[in-house]
Amino acid sequence: MKSFIILASFITSVFAQNCSLPFGQCGGSNWNGVKCCTSGFTCKEMNVWYHQCVPSNEVVPNSNPVVSNVVPSNAPAKSIPTTNAPIINNPAPQNVNYVASNASSSSALIGYASMNGGTKGGQGGQTTTVSNQSQLVAALKGNNAKIIKVNGIIQLTSDVTVNSNTSIIGANKNSGFTGAGLKFKNASNIIIQNLKFSYCLGSNKDCINAQKSTNVWIDHCEFFNDRNHGKDYYDGLVDFTHACDYITISWNFIHDHYKASLIGHSDSNSGEDTGKLHITYHHNYFKNVGSRLPSLRFGTAHVFNNVYENIENSSVNIRMGAQALVESNVFRNANKPISTNLDSSQEGFVVQRNNDFGNTANTNSITKIGNLNTVPYAYTNDNVNSVYNLVTRGAGPN
């Protein structure tokens, strides 16, 4: 009998060690790892792509626990500390690249941010949950790997600096920032996902202001201000300047604003920007915007499978020798869908193919044909006939 108990204890111990650690991944689409959790934790479905081991007492009825997380009943129970502290540090989940479950196509990282070693954000670091500006600022310190989960809308009184090796992810579809924005300078390896940005009136008047930063992925976010003021009351929603490089902007809902996305800030900055500013825009929904979708100087852009609706002045503006491949986008009531000769002293270059211009094709202003016929990464180009429904339903936070 004694030998049986020892053997049972040994089996239980081995079983528990082979399960996911607290707050680790335990399931989800394409997950090939273990699907059980250590004692005291339950595998909870966060979305179709990601299931996580959370304390069993946090799983409420109808919260979709995954039944394959059973640990033998005689496994020793762990003591789960409780705290009222607003910041909670936990081991990082094993996959930190959030994928919104409302998207009809996968939102895995593709585009220029997948190059130059890739963009992993805070993978391997601790997860911290924040709900106000002071907690956010504290969590962002340093260049160590870190994952910051934003719970609710945080009122920012000033722009907040984001350092390298960071993921900032909304806890739900109504999490994000208002009042000011995020700024990156001399940073790298940053992921921003599932967040709402609005009414950004910090020192830069941008929601995202990035300078001299590389490998940045902006995914499944919403950006908006208003059009009740002059076009310079706010500045940009998502701006990358001063030799930023290897950027992907995907599955975002960008709306109700004048000047949305500036890439390269000045006609006179060729010395710094030439050979940089590689950026991909895909599956974004631009609606009720004035211009800059994007406005690109000197750099290289791949713009595909986006929707442009009710664009007042101009949509894709490629200038100052920049090169762009613009394909399989949908334009609805979008003035000047593609231009190469606006606003600067030198023209840009465009290859355009298979775009749906609706009734605005005659307002195109493509004066220079470029040579960017291919891009150096794999991607799936959705049929332009399905892009409108695909993007309008899938863009934005989940």
Side-chain angles (χ1 to χ4, degrees), residues 57-192:
N57 60 3
E58 292 184 7
V59 179
V60 297
N62 301 320
S63 63
N64 300 325
V66 180
V67 297
S68 60
N69 69 334
V70 179
V71 175
S73 59
N74 61 346
K78 289 190 176 182
S79 173
I80 308 300
T82 59
T83 177
N84 293 322
I87 299 181
I88 305 169
N89 292 317
N90 295 314
Q94 296 177 35
N95 75 330
V96 299
N97 292 350
Y98 173 86
V99 181
S101 59
N102 68 343
S104 300
S105 292
S106 171
S107 186
L109 174 59
I110 61 175
Y112 281 111
S114 68
M115 302 184 66
N116 191 41
T119 303
K120 301 177 180 64
Q123 185 173 8
Q126 287 189 321
T127 298
T128 304
T129 299
V130 302
S131 57
N132 61 49
Q133 182 169 345
S134 61
Q135 293 171 1
L136 175 68
V137 170
L140 283 167
K141 288 182 178 178
N143 292 319
N144 56 302
K146 51 197 169 295
I147 303 164
I148 299 170
K149 183 181 286 187
V150 177
N151 185 20
I153 301 296
I154 296 177
Q155 177 75 46
L156 297 179
T157 58
S158 60
D159 293 332
V160 173
T161 298
V162 179
N163 293 311
S164 298
N165 306 313
T166 300
S167 295
I168 308 178
I169 303 173
N172 52 57
K173 64 182 180 181
N174 195 35
S175 294
F177 309 107
T178 190
L182 304 179
K183 59 183 180 181
F184 324 146
K185 189 171 184 178
N186 296 312
S188 63
N189 191 31
I190 295 170
I191 296 174
I192 307 294

Side-chain angles (χ1 to χ4, degrees), residues 14 46 48 58 73 111 123 145 157 239 262 266 300 318 343 387:
V14 171
M46 300 304 189
V48 67
E58 292 184 7
S73 59
Q123 185 173 8
T157 58
D239 286 5
L262 178 68
S266 168
T300 302
I318 308 301
D343 307 322
V387 165

Side-chain angles (χ1 to χ4, degrees), residues 334-345:
N335 195 36
K336 294 185 177 67
I338 306 172
S339 302
T340 59
N341 62 347
L342 294 180
D343 307 322
S344 286
S345 58

Side-chain angles (χ1 to χ4, degrees), residues 98-105 107 194 219-221 250-253 283-285 387-398:
Y98 173 86
V99 181
S101 59
N102 68 343
S104 300
S105 292
S107 186
N194 206 46
D219 179 69
H220 274 100
C221 292
S250 60
W251 291 102
N252 300 289
F253 182 26
H283 295 94
N284 300 288
Y285 183 22
V387 165
Y388 184 89
N389 286 336
L390 185 69
V391 171
T392 58
R393 292 173 182 174
N398 179 44

